[in-house]
Amino acid sequence: MAVSSLGAIYYKAGKVDGAKQYWDTAIKGNGKLVGARISLASLAIEEMRRINNPKDAKWKSLEDDAKINLSNALGVDGDSVEAYTAYALLYMEGYQANKNRLDLAKLMLDEGKKRNEKFAPLQNAYGLWYLHKGRLNEALAGFTAAVEADPSSSRLVSTPVS
């Protein structure tokens, strides 16, 4: 746990490579560290956004790694709203090339909502999902719910708007 916590400290300090190394090391020591697995999956999602090409081999590799980490996280903690939210964000990547990904994202969002519908990143992800579906009023409601759930949150998970 301590090594995983060092990863979080490094990430907050903007040292992403160091954070990744700590999270990888923590998982090698204890594969049941849900937070480290979700954090690694989140890094993969960020990199997928930068690549922005589902046909790229690196993009596919990152997606596979994120799925493994999130599946393992949910295997350890089936009630992890954070993992369901990250899985939804993962499925939202590349939706332009495959609209069915939005259906998978919605399933993950709904599972997370069953566990804690007031979780700000989950509400933000709902806003993104509605935005991708072109349902702007509902997107605004999701973003508003996210801010109401955690007004002190300075940065919620985002995705580029296309």
Side-chain angles (χ1 to χ4, degrees):
M1 286 277 270
V3 175
S4 182
S5 295
L6 284 172
I9 291 168
Y10 266 65
Y11 184 78
K12 286 181 183 177
K15 299 176 182 179
V16 176
D17 290 337
K20 185 179 182 323
Q21 288 177 350
Y22 277 118
W23 288 324
D24 281 332
T25 301
I27 289 172
K28 286 177 187 163
N30 179 355
K32 295 181 179 183
L33 293 174
V34 173
R37 289 198 174 274
I38 294 169
S39 296
L40 284 173
S42 296
L43 288 180
I45 294 167
E46 287 178 19
E47 183 64 21
M48 289 168 64
R49 284 185 188 134
R50 281 191 282 281
I51 295 170
N52 196 28
N53 180 4
K55 294 179 182 177
D56 186 284
K58 174 81 171 160
W59 193 95
K60 181 66 176 145
S61 175
L62 289 164
E63 180 183 33
D64 291 343
D65 289 345
K67 284 179 180 178
I68 289 168
N69 278 314
L70 293 171
S71 293
N72 279 306
L74 287 169
V76 173
D77 180 4
D79 288 328
S80 175
V81 182
E82 295 90 347
Y84 284 113
T85 302
Y87 235 135
L89 292 170
L90 174 67
Y91 282 129
M92 281 189 242
E93 293 304 314
Y95 80 93
Q96 299 91 336
N98 181 353
K99 300 290 184 194
N100 292 329
R101 292 178 71 88
L102 290 177
D103 295 334
L104 295 169
K106 182 72 161 63
L107 288 172
M108 294 296 147
L109 291 171
D110 291 345
E111 284 302 313
K113 186 177 181 178
K114 290 176 188 175
R115 284 137 179 98
N116 180 2
E117 71 179 280
K118 299 291 184 190
F119 183 59
L122 175 72
Q123 289 301 321
N124 188 67
Y126 265 112
L128 293 170
W129 186 84
Y130 284 120
L131 188 65
H132 295 324
K133 295 293 272 185
R135 295 162 60 178
L136 301 182
N137 288 336
E138 291 158 301
L140 179 59
F143 296 138
T144 301
V147 172
E148 289 171 356
D150 186 2
S152 66
S153 180
S154 61
R155 180 181 178 273
L156 294 172
V157 179
S158 64
T159 188
V161 177
S162 48

PDB file of all heavy atoms in Angstrom, residues 1-30:
ATOM      1  N   MET A   1       0.824  -1.197   0.000  1.00  0.00           N
ATOM      2  CA  MET A   1       0.000   0.000   0.000  1.00  0.00           C
ATOM      3  C   MET A   1       0.869   1.263   0.000  1.00  0.00           C
ATOM      4  O   MET A   1       0.532   2.231  -0.661  1.00  0.00           O
ATOM      5  CB  MET A   1      -0.914   0.027   1.224  1.00  0.00           C
ATOM      6  CG  MET A   1      -2.081  -0.933   1.181  1.00  0.00           C
ATOM      7  SD  MET A   1      -3.460  -0.297   0.281  1.00  0.00           S
ATOM      8  CE  MET A   1      -4.443   0.545   1.441  1.00  0.00           C
ATOM      9  N   ALA A   2       1.957   1.221   0.747  1.00  0.00           N
ATOM     10  CA  ALA A   2       2.822   2.394   0.842  1.00  0.00           C
ATOM     11  C   ALA A   2       3.423   2.739  -0.518  1.00  0.00           C
ATOM     12  O   ALA A   2       3.495   3.915  -0.891  1.00  0.00           O
ATOM     13  CB  ALA A   2       3.919   2.156   1.868  1.00  0.00           C
ATOM     14  N   VAL A   3       3.827   1.720  -1.266  1.00  0.00           N
ATOM     15  CA  VAL A   3       4.413   1.954  -2.585  1.00  0.00           C
ATOM     16  C   VAL A   3       3.356   2.542  -3.521  1.00  0.00           C
ATOM     17  O   VAL A   3       3.629   3.464  -4.292  1.00  0.00           O
ATOM     18  CB  VAL A   3       5.010   0.645  -3.159  1.00  0.00           C
ATOM     19  CG1 VAL A   3       5.520   0.850  -4.571  1.00  0.00           C
ATOM     20  CG2 VAL A   3       6.135   0.141  -2.260  1.00  0.00           C
ATOM     21  N   SER A   4       2.134   2.054  -3.443  1.00  0.00           N
ATOM     22  CA  SER A   4       1.038   2.593  -4.238  1.00  0.00           C
ATOM     23  C   SER A   4       0.768   4.049  -3.865  1.00  0.00           C
ATOM     24  O   SER A   4       0.518   4.888  -4.737  1.00  0.00           O
ATOM     25  CB  SER A   4      -0.222   1.752  -4.038  1.00  0.00           C
ATOM     26  OG  SER A   4      -1.268   2.252  -4.836  1.00  0.00           O
ATOM     27  N   SER A   5       0.840   4.346  -2.587  1.00  0.00           N
ATOM     28  CA  SER A   5       0.639   5.728  -2.125  1.00  0.00           C
ATOM     29  C   SER A   5       1.727   6.652  -2.659  1.00  0.00           C
ATOM     30  O   SER A   5       1.461   7.814  -2.981  1.00  0.00           O
ATOM     31  CB  SER A   5       0.601   5.778  -0.601  1.00  0.00           C
ATOM     32  OG  SER A   5      -0.513   5.075  -0.127  1.00  0.00           O
ATOM     33  N   LEU A   6       2.946   6.140  -2.765  1.00  0.00           N
ATOM     34  CA  LEU A   6       4.019   6.940  -3.359  1.00  0.00           C
ATOM     35  C   LEU A   6       3.686   7.268  -4.817  1.00  0.00           C
ATOM     36  O   LEU A   6       3.971   8.362  -5.289  1.00  0.00           O
ATOM     37  CB  LEU A   6       5.355   6.201  -3.271  1.00  0.00           C
ATOM     38  CG  LEU A   6       6.018   6.177  -1.901  1.00  0.00           C
ATOM     39  CD1 LEU A   6       7.229   5.249  -1.913  1.00  0.00           C
ATOM     40  CD2 LEU A   6       6.417   7.578  -1.472  1.00  0.00           C
ATOM     41  N   GLY A   7       3.065   6.318  -5.499  1.00  0.00           N
ATOM     42  CA  GLY A   7       2.634   6.569  -6.874  1.00  0.00           C
ATOM     43  C   GLY A   7       1.653   7.730  -6.941  1.00  0.00           C
ATOM     44  O   GLY A   7       1.761   8.594  -7.810  1.00  0.00           O
ATOM     45  N   ALA A   8       0.725   7.758  -6.009  1.00  0.00           N
ATOM     46  CA  ALA A   8      -0.255   8.851  -5.970  1.00  0.00           C
ATOM     47  C   ALA A   8       0.429  10.188  -5.700  1.00  0.00           C
ATOM     48  O   ALA A   8       0.085  11.210  -6.317  1.00  0.00           O
ATOM     49  CB  ALA A   8      -1.318   8.570  -4.914  1.00  0.00           C
ATOM     50  N   ILE A   9       1.393  10.192  -4.814  1.00  0.00           N
ATOM     51  CA  ILE A   9       2.130  11.422  -4.498  1.00  0.00           C
ATOM     52  C   ILE A   9       2.893  11.904  -5.731  1.00  0.00           C
ATOM     53  O   ILE A   9       2.875  13.092  -6.064  1.00  0.00           O
ATOM     54  CB  ILE A   9       3.078  11.196  -3.303  1.00  0.00           C
ATOM     55  CG1 ILE A   9       2.254  10.996  -2.021  1.00  0.00           C
ATOM     56  CG2 ILE A   9       4.066  12.348  -3.153  1.00  0.00           C
ATOM     57  CD1 ILE A   9       3.049  10.481  -0.838  1.00  0.00           C
ATOM     58  N   TYR A  10       3.549  10.977  -6.401  1.00  0.00           N
ATOM     59  CA  TYR A  10       4.287  11.343  -7.608  1.00  0.00           C
ATOM     60  C   TYR A  10       3.341  11.874  -8.688  1.00  0.00           C
ATOM     61  O   TYR A  10       3.648  12.856  -9.367  1.00  0.00           O
ATOM     62  CB  TYR A  10       5.073  10.137  -8.142  1.00  0.00           C
ATOM     63  CG  TYR A  10       6.500  10.104  -7.646  1.00  0.00           C
ATOM     64  CD1 TYR A  10       6.786   9.936  -6.302  1.00  0.00           C
ATOM     65  CD2 TYR A  10       7.564  10.243  -8.532  1.00  0.00           C
ATOM     66  CE1 TYR A  10       8.085   9.895  -5.837  1.00  0.00           C
ATOM     67  CE2 TYR A  10       8.872  10.206  -8.090  1.00  0.00           C
ATOM     68  CZ  TYR A  10       9.130  10.033  -6.736  1.00  0.00           C
ATOM     69  OH  TYR A  10      10.420  10.015  -6.292  1.00  0.00           O
ATOM     70  N   TYR A  11       2.199  11.245  -8.837  1.00  0.00           N
ATOM     71  CA  TYR A  11       1.241  11.681  -9.851  1.00  0.00           C
ATOM     72  C   TYR A  11       0.766  13.104  -9.555  1.00  0.00           C
ATOM     73  O   TYR A  11       0.708  13.945 -10.449  1.00  0.00           O
ATOM     74  CB  TYR A  11       0.053  10.728  -9.941  1.00  0.00           C
ATOM     75  CG  TYR A  11      -0.903  11.101 -11.044  1.00  0.00           C
ATOM     76  CD1 TYR A  11      -0.611  10.789 -12.366  1.00  0.00           C
ATOM     77  CD2 TYR A  11      -2.080  11.801 -10.779  1.00  0.00           C
ATOM     78  CE1 TYR A  11      -1.462  11.154 -13.393  1.00  0.00           C
ATOM     79  CE2 TYR A  11      -2.927  12.166 -11.799  1.00  0.00           C
ATOM     80  CZ  TYR A  11      -2.622  11.836 -13.107  1.00  0.00           C
ATOM     81  OH  TYR A  11      -3.475  12.216 -14.119  1.00  0.00           O
ATOM     82  N   LYS A  12       0.435  13.373  -8.306  1.00  0.00           N
ATOM     83  CA  LYS A  12      -0.033  14.718  -7.938  1.00  0.00           C
ATOM     84  C   LYS A  12       1.048  15.761  -8.155  1.00  0.00           C
ATOM     85  O   LYS A  12       0.750  16.928  -8.388  1.00  0.00           O
ATOM     86  CB  LYS A  12      -0.521  14.730  -6.492  1.00  0.00           C
ATOM     87  CG  LYS A  12      -1.854  14.045  -6.325  1.00  0.00           C
ATOM     88  CD  LYS A  12      -2.335  14.076  -4.892  1.00  0.00           C
ATOM     89  CE  LYS A  12      -3.644  13.315  -4.783  1.00  0.00           C
ATOM     90  NZ  LYS A  12      -4.135  13.247  -3.421  1.00  0.00           N
ATOM     91  N   ALA A  13       2.328  15.325  -8.087  1.00  0.00           N
ATOM     92  CA  ALA A  13       3.447  16.244  -8.308  1.00  0.00           C
ATOM     93  C   ALA A  13       3.773  16.381  -9.797  1.00  0.00           C
ATOM     94  O   ALA A  13       4.716  17.084 -10.166  1.00  0.00           O
ATOM     95  CB  ALA A  13       4.676  15.757  -7.547  1.00  0.00           C
ATOM     96  N   GLY A  14       3.009  15.692 -10.645  1.00  0.00           N
ATOM     97  CA  GLY A  14       3.229  15.790 -12.080  1.00  0.00           C
ATOM     98  C   GLY A  14       4.298  14.850 -12.616  1.00  0.00           C
ATOM     99  O   GLY A  14       4.696  14.945 -13.768  1.00  0.00           O
ATOM    100  N   LYS A  15       4.757  13.934 -11.791  1.00  0.00           N
ATOM    101  CA  LYS A  15       5.796  12.981 -12.192  1.00  0.00           C
ATOM    102  C   LYS A  15       5.134  11.662 -12.588  1.00  0.00           C
ATOM    103  O   LYS A  15       5.168  10.678 -11.859  1.00  0.00           O
ATOM    104  CB  LYS A  15       6.786  12.778 -11.051  1.00  0.00           C
ATOM    105  CG  LYS A  15       7.491  14.056 -10.651  1.00  0.00           C
ATOM    106  CD  LYS A  15       8.398  13.849  -9.460  1.00  0.00           C
ATOM    107  CE  LYS A  15       9.045  15.175  -9.064  1.00  0.00           C
ATOM    108  NZ  LYS A  15       9.905  15.004  -7.896  1.00  0.00           N
ATOM    109  N   VAL A  16       4.540  11.660 -13.775  1.00  0.00           N
ATOM    110  CA  VAL A  16       3.719  10.537 -14.236  1.00  0.00           C
ATOM    111  C   VAL A  16       4.535   9.258 -14.397  1.00  0.00           C
ATOM    112  O   VAL A  16       4.090   8.180 -14.002  1.00  0.00           O
ATOM    113  CB  VAL A  16       2.989  10.904 -15.549  1.00  0.00           C
ATOM    114  CG1 VAL A  16       2.208   9.730 -16.093  1.00  0.00           C
ATOM    115  CG2 VAL A  16       2.074  12.097 -15.316  1.00  0.00           C
ATOM    116  N   ASP A  17       5.728   9.367 -14.971  1.00  0.00           N
ATOM    117  CA  ASP A  17       6.549   8.169 -15.164  1.00  0.00           C
ATOM    118  C   ASP A  17       6.908   7.523 -13.830  1.00  0.00           C
ATOM    119  O   ASP A  17       6.861   6.299 -13.687  1.00  0.00           O
ATOM    120  CB  ASP A  17       7.817   8.501 -15.947  1.00  0.00           C
ATOM    121  CG  ASP A  17       7.529   8.833 -17.405  1.00  0.00           C
ATOM    122  OD1 ASP A  17       6.471   8.406 -17.915  1.00  0.00           O
ATOM    123  OD2 ASP A  17       8.357   9.525 -18.034  1.00  0.00           O
ATOM    124  N   GLY A  18       7.265   8.347 -12.854  1.00  0.00           N
ATOM    125  CA  GLY A  18       7.573   7.825 -11.523  1.00  0.00           C
ATOM    126  C   GLY A  18       6.358   7.193 -10.875  1.00  0.00           C
ATOM    127  O   GLY A  18       6.456   6.137 -10.240  1.00  0.00           O
ATOM    128  N   ALA A  19       5.208   7.821 -11.043  1.00  0.00           N
ATOM    129  CA  ALA A  19       3.967   7.278 -10.486  1.00  0.00           C
ATOM    130  C   ALA A  19       3.681   5.908 -11.079  1.00  0.00           C
ATOM    131  O   ALA A  19       3.369   4.950 -10.358  1.00  0.00           O
ATOM    132  CB  ALA A  19       2.805   8.228 -10.760  1.00  0.00           C
ATOM    133  N   LYS A  20       3.821   5.796 -12.394  1.00  0.00           N
ATOM    134  CA  LYS A  20       3.572   4.524 -13.067  1.00  0.00           C
ATOM    135  C   LYS A  20       4.509   3.440 -12.543  1.00  0.00           C
ATOM    136  O   LYS A  20       4.083   2.318 -12.286  1.00  0.00           O
ATOM    137  CB  LYS A  20       3.722   4.685 -14.577  1.00  0.00           C
ATOM    138  CG  LYS A  20       3.367   3.431 -15.356  1.00  0.00           C
ATOM    139  CD  LYS A  20       3.507   3.659 -16.841  1.00  0.00           C
ATOM    140  CE  LYS A  20       3.127   2.481 -17.681  1.00  0.00           C
ATOM    141  NZ  LYS A  20       3.456   1.172 -17.215  1.00  0.00           N
ATOM    142  N   GLN A  21       5.765   3.783 -12.353  1.00  0.00           N
ATOM    143  CA  GLN A  21       6.729   2.806 -11.839  1.00  0.00           C
ATOM    144  C   GLN A  21       6.328   2.330 -10.447  1.00  0.00           C
ATOM    145  O   GLN A  21       6.395   1.136 -10.152  1.00  0.00           O
ATOM    146  CB  GLN A  21       8.133   3.397 -11.807  1.00  0.00           C
ATOM    147  CG  GLN A  21       8.745   3.558 -13.177  1.00  0.00           C
ATOM    148  CD  GLN A  21      10.112   4.226 -13.137  1.00  0.00           C
ATOM    149  OE1 GLN A  21      10.543   4.743 -12.110  1.00  0.00           O
ATOM    150  NE2 GLN A  21      10.793   4.224 -14.278  1.00  0.00           N
ATOM    151  N   TYR A  22       5.915   3.260  -9.591  1.00  0.00           N
ATOM    152  CA  TYR A  22       5.503   2.877  -8.236  1.00  0.00           C
ATOM    153  C   TYR A  22       4.259   1.989  -8.275  1.00  0.00           C
ATOM    154  O   TYR A  22       4.170   1.000  -7.552  1.00  0.00           O
ATOM    155  CB  TYR A  22       5.250   4.105  -7.358  1.00  0.00           C
ATOM    156  CG  TYR A  22       6.520   4.663  -6.752  1.00  0.00           C
ATOM    157  CD1 TYR A  22       6.953   5.944  -7.052  1.00  0.00           C
ATOM    158  CD2 TYR A  22       7.272   3.908  -5.862  1.00  0.00           C
ATOM    159  CE1 TYR A  22       8.107   6.465  -6.494  1.00  0.00           C
ATOM    160  CE2 TYR A  22       8.435   4.418  -5.300  1.00  0.00           C
ATOM    161  CZ  TYR A  22       8.846   5.689  -5.627  1.00  0.00           C
ATOM    162  OH  TYR A  22       9.996   6.186  -5.060  1.00  0.00           O
ATOM    163  N   TRP A  23       3.296   2.335  -9.123  1.00  0.00           N
ATOM    164  CA  TRP A  23       2.074   1.522  -9.202  1.00  0.00           C
ATOM    165  C   TRP A  23       2.367   0.140  -9.762  1.00  0.00           C
ATOM    166  O   TRP A  23       1.830  -0.859  -9.278  1.00  0.00           O
ATOM    167  CB  TRP A  23       1.002   2.237 -10.013  1.00  0.00           C
ATOM    168  CG  TRP A  23       0.404   3.416  -9.283  1.00  0.00           C
ATOM    169  CD1 TRP A  23       0.157   3.513  -7.946  1.00  0.00           C
ATOM    170  CD2 TRP A  23      -0.019   4.655  -9.850  1.00  0.00           C
ATOM    171  NE1 TRP A  23      -0.398   4.737  -7.645  1.00  0.00           N
ATOM    172  CE2 TRP A  23      -0.513   5.461  -8.805  1.00  0.00           C
ATOM    173  CE3 TRP A  23      -0.021   5.167 -11.138  1.00  0.00           C
ATOM    174  CZ2 TRP A  23      -1.016   6.739  -8.997  1.00  0.00           C
ATOM    175  CZ3 TRP A  23      -0.519   6.452 -11.334  1.00  0.00           C
ATOM    176  CH2 TRP A  23      -1.019   7.219 -10.279  1.00  0.00           C
ATOM    177  N   ASP A  24       3.234   0.069 -10.772  1.00  0.00           N
ATOM    178  CA  ASP A  24       3.626  -1.238 -11.310  1.00  0.00           C
ATOM    179  C   ASP A  24       4.306  -2.086 -10.233  1.00  0.00           C
ATOM    180  O   ASP A  24       4.008  -3.277 -10.082  1.00  0.00           O
ATOM    181  CB  ASP A  24       4.572  -1.074 -12.506  1.00  0.00           C
ATOM    182  CG  ASP A  24       3.860  -0.708 -13.802  1.00  0.00           C
ATOM    183  OD1 ASP A  24       2.665  -1.069 -13.958  1.00  0.00           O
ATOM    184  OD2 ASP A  24       4.497  -0.068 -14.667  1.00  0.00           O
ATOM    185  N   THR A  25       5.209  -1.468  -9.490  1.00  0.00           N
ATOM    186  CA  THR A  25       5.919  -2.174  -8.420  1.00  0.00           C
ATOM    187  C   THR A  25       4.953  -2.629  -7.339  1.00  0.00           C
ATOM    188  O   THR A  25       5.047  -3.761  -6.839  1.00  0.00           O
ATOM    189  CB  THR A  25       7.006  -1.260  -7.810  1.00  0.00           C
ATOM    190  OG1 THR A  25       7.918  -0.887  -8.845  1.00  0.00           O
ATOM    191  CG2 THR A  25       7.752  -1.953  -6.687  1.00  0.00           C
ATOM    192  N   ALA A  26       4.011  -1.779  -6.989  1.00  0.00           N
ATOM    193  CA  ALA A  26       3.035  -2.121  -5.942  1.00  0.00           C
ATOM    194  C   ALA A  26       2.203  -3.331  -6.372  1.00  0.00           C
ATOM    195  O   ALA A  26       1.971  -4.244  -5.567  1.00  0.00           O
ATOM    196  CB  ALA A  26       2.128  -0.926  -5.660  1.00  0.00           C
ATOM    197  N   ILE A  27       1.792  -3.369  -7.620  1.00  0.00           N
ATOM    198  CA  ILE A  27       0.969  -4.482  -8.113  1.00  0.00           C
ATOM    199  C   ILE A  27       1.777  -5.777  -8.163  1.00  0.00           C
ATOM    200  O   ILE A  27       1.252  -6.848  -7.880  1.00  0.00           O
ATOM    201  CB  ILE A  27       0.340  -4.127  -9.479  1.00  0.00           C
ATOM    202  CG1 ILE A  27      -0.748  -3.078  -9.271  1.00  0.00           C
ATOM    203  CG2 ILE A  27      -0.220  -5.358 -10.167  1.00  0.00           C
ATOM    204  CD1 ILE A  27      -1.305  -2.499 -10.546  1.00  0.00           C
ATOM    205  N   LYS A  28       3.057  -5.659  -8.514  1.00  0.00           N
ATOM    206  CA  LYS A  28       3.904  -6.860  -8.511  1.00  0.00           C
ATOM    207  C   LYS A  28       4.013  -7.433  -7.104  1.00  0.00           C
ATOM    208  O   LYS A  28       4.074  -8.646  -6.919  1.00  0.00           O
ATOM    209  CB  LYS A  28       5.285  -6.537  -9.062  1.00  0.00           C
ATOM    210  CG  LYS A  28       5.283  -6.358 -10.565  1.00  0.00           C
ATOM    211  CD  LYS A  28       6.644  -5.967 -11.093  1.00  0.00           C
ATOM    212  CE  LYS A  28       6.521  -5.648 -12.577  1.00  0.00           C
ATOM    213  NZ  LYS A  28       7.646  -4.891 -13.075  1.00  0.00           N
ATOM    214  N   GLY A  29       4.000  -6.564  -6.105  1.00  0.00           N
ATOM    215  CA  GLY A  29       4.071  -7.004  -4.714  1.00  0.00           C
ATOM    216  C   GLY A  29       2.738  -7.514  -4.181  1.00  0.00           C
ATOM    217  O   GLY A  29       2.692  -8.407  -3.342  1.00  0.00           O
ATOM    218  N   ASN A  30       1.651  -6.907  -4.663  1.00  0.00           N
ATOM    219  CA  ASN A  30       0.314  -7.295  -4.214  1.00  0.00           C
ATOM    220  C   ASN A  30      -0.676  -6.968  -5.330  1.00  0.00           C
ATOM    221  O   ASN A  30      -1.075  -5.818  -5.503  1.00  0.00           O
ATOM    222  CB  ASN A  30      -0.072  -6.551  -2.926  1.00  0.00           C
ATOM    223  CG  ASN A  30      -1.452  -6.906  -2.431  1.00  0.00           C
ATOM    224  OD1 ASN A  30      -2.197  -7.646  -3.065  1.00  0.00           O
ATOM    225  ND2 ASN A  30      -1.814  -6.363  -1.287  1.00  0.00           N
TER     226      ASN A  30
END
